[in-house]
Amino acid sequence: MKITYSRWTDNSLRVEESLQQLLDLFSSLLLRVNADVITALDIFRHLNEQYDMLGDMTMDEFIELLRSQGYLEYKNGQYAASKKSLRKLRNDAFNEIFRSLKKSGVGNHETPFAGQGNERLPEIRNYQFGDSADIIDITQTISNALIRNSDLSNFALCADDVKVYETEHLGSCATVLMIDISHSMILYGEDRITPAKQVALALAEFISIKFPKDELQAILFGDEARKVSLDDIPFISVGPFHTNTLDGLKLSRGILRKMRGSNKQIFMITDGKPSAIFDENGRLFKNPYGLDTRIVNKTLDEAVACRRDGITISVFMLASDNYLVDFIENLTKANHGRAFYTGLNHLGEALFVDYISNRRKHFRG
């Protein structure tokens, strides 16, 4: 393989930064159009015609750049988002949200219980049967043996010489993220679903990096609730749906029953009051006007059932109309949960801070 070197210049850095900005813009468009590459490219082409973002590069050359760097793949006669492209969406979402967090906003989640765990403490103790060899304090152990018998020709360890590090139990957390996909999430020209997807992607990335033993599942709720893969989050779209909060909570509780985490919680992102439930015959009962007592009471009953199962509900409200606020106030009382009016700009910050603080509260007693 032939490698050609050229002199580095300040312009080289500017070109690299410019290309990265173009990739970031395309990635942002991709998230907004539910990972539809054709639509994202059409919007990008239109923006380029208006603002000449590509400079000397043609649109075809930019598409070839995306393909050559692994962000696009050719499927069924057209371009589609590659795994690398979807991975970039997660990374970008993670980085974007953490730029808004203070350094002190994210921390560890240790428990106060010493014993066999995953994190070493500076304190040491006597070896106990069953302790893992990887927590032995080699330096202190050998020192103890030499103090007891300094004759190196007759060096030997006894049980009292062996010291091990104390360790902390790292608690695990099981979370279901409920995302509202009712029609109001794009009503009146305000895009609320993209920030919700961005937070979901960032949370998935955060947990995989910071707390790999934690579990995260995602569900969507509109007329009904359904579980989705974390890999499918970029493809989420809003439909002509009502808000069946009850079905979302029921499905979440069922999922959490099967999850291993010692701390179980539901994070619900919504912008509307509950407006639908399934009746006793499995038919969808809808009432979008005001707070329907039948819908509200059954939903609150499910919030109580979650509380009895040890599941905390945190609600992140993207709107502040009176009906939604009144309902959420009653729901948090029934569940002993928490509620946040975050708007769109601070959704990620509020959700991540609550994720950490909830773990600290639970694991530290």
Side-chain angles (χ1 to χ4, degrees):
M1 181 177 68
K2 182 180 180 180
I3 300 176
T4 303
Y5 294 93
S6 61
R7 182 183 296 275
W8 184 90
T9 65
D10 288 342
N11 186 59
S12 300
L13 181 59
R14 289 195 294 270
V15 170
E16 185 68 25
E17 290 176 343
S18 178
L19 287 175
Q20 186 58 52
Q21 289 173 354
L22 292 173
L23 290 174
D24 290 345
L25 174 59
F26 178 75
S27 181
S28 176
L29 290 174
L30 202 59
L31 183 61
R32 289 180 178 274
V33 298
N34 311 323
D36 184 334
V37 168
I38 303 304
T39 301
L41 288 173
D42 285 343
I43 296 173
F44 195 100
R45 183 179 288 106
H46 178 70
L47 291 172
N48 183 55
E49 290 171 356
Q50 283 188 303
Y51 302 107
D52 193 27
M53 301 177 303
L54 294 177
D56 294 334
M57 187 187 304
T58 67
M59 191 65 196
D60 287 341
E61 289 172 337
F62 178 65
I63 294 174
E64 176 58 24
L65 175 68
L66 292 173
R67 189 203 62 77
S68 65
Q69 294 199 7
Y71 292 107
L72 298 183
E73 57 186 12
Y74 208 62
K75 284 185 176 179
N76 302 320
Q78 64 181 13
Y79 285 114
S82 66
K83 290 183 178 179
K84 181 178 180 180
S85 185
L86 297 178
R87 188 164 60 248
K88 178 172 169 53
L89 289 179
R90 284 176 59 155
N91 291 336
D92 288 352
F94 176 83
N95 292 330
E96 177 65 25
I97 286 176
F98 272 84
R99 273 195 286 266
S100 67
L101 287 173
K102 296 179 180 179
K103 291 182 179 179
S104 61
V106 178
N108 293 316
H109 55 289
E110 294 86 359
T111 70
F113 306 108
Q116 281 197 293
N118 300 318
E119 189 73 17
R120 284 186 180 183
L121 296 173
E123 294 82 9
I124 60 173
R125 60 175 171 81
N126 293 329
Y127 173 84
Q128 297 175 354
F129 179 76
D131 283 335
S132 173
D134 61 3
I135 63 170
I136 294 176
D137 182 345
I138 300 297
T139 302
Q140 187 62 54
T141 297
I142 293 176
S143 296
N144 291 341
L146 291 175
I147 291 172
R148 181 175 50 80
N149 180 10
S150 60
D151 183 3
L152 292 177
S153 63
N154 191 30
F155 180 81
L157 287 175
C158 70
D160 290 340
D161 296 330
V162 182
K163 302 296 180 181
V164 297
Y165 290 103
E166 284 280 17
T167 58
E168 288 182 305
H169 289 293
L170 298 184
S172 61
C173 184
T175 305
V176 171
L177 180 62
M178 288 176 54
I179 302 175
D180 187 346
I181 57 168
S182 63
H183 182 59
S184 61
M185 292 288 280
I186 55 168
L187 201 57
Y188 309 121
E190 185 171 30
D191 179 9
R192 295 169 176 171
I193 191 63
T194 298
K197 292 194 294 184
Q198 184 183 43
V199 166
L201 289 169
L203 185 61
E205 186 74 359
F206 171 68
I207 289 175
S208 69
I209 295 171
K210 187 76 175 172
F211 306 129
K213 291 190 176 181
D214 286 3
E215 291 187 87
L216 175 67
Q217 300 286 348
I219 72 162
L220 312 179
F221 66 107
D223 286 348
E224 61 181 356
R226 60 184 174 90
K227 181 180 174 182
V228 293
S229 164
L230 297 177
D231 292 336
D232 289 333
I233 288 173
F235 302 94
I236 292 173
S237 60
V238 170
F241 306 129
H242 294 77
T243 308
N244 194 339
T245 309
L246 171 59
D247 204 41
L249 292 175
K250 273 187 176 180
L251 179 58
S252 298
R253 184 161 64 96
I255 291 172
L256 285 167
R257 280 177 175 173
K258 301 174 184 178
M259 294 169 74
R260 300 187 302 272
S262 54
N263 182 26
K264 299 186 177 185
Q265 59 188 355
I266 296 171
F267 281 3
M268 178 166 64
I269 301 173
T270 185
D271 72 339
K273 67 185 186 304
S275 58
I277 57 171
F278 288 109
D279 65 18
E280 294 77 6
N281 298 313
R283 293 189 296 263
L284 188 67
F285 170 76
K286 301 170 288 187
N287 184 356
Y289 306 105
L291 287 174
D292 186 288
T293 304
R294 178 181 177 186
I295 294 174
V296 169
N297 287 345
K298 286 186 175 295
T299 306
L300 294 179
D301 287 344
E302 183 60 29
V304 172
C306 287
R307 186 193 74 208
R308 289 172 177 165
D309 283 356
I311 299 168
T312 302
I313 303 172
S314 294
V315 185
F316 301 87
M317 296 181 286
L318 303 182
S320 58
D321 64 81
N322 292 334
Y323 287 126
L324 176 60
V325 172
D326 289 346
F327 166 72
I328 296 301
E329 183 178 345
N330 289 327
L331 183 141
T332 52
K333 286 181 180 178
N335 178 256
H336 298 171
R338 295 174 297 278
F340 307 85
Y341 170 64
T342 65
L344 296 177
N345 294 331
H346 301 289
L347 172 61
E349 182 176 354
L351 188 144
F352 276 77
V353 169
D354 187 55
Y355 187 89
I356 298 302
S357 62
N358 185 34
R359 299 185 112 284
R360 287 174 174 164
K361 183 188 301 182
H362 179 85
F363 292 122
R364 294 182 182 177

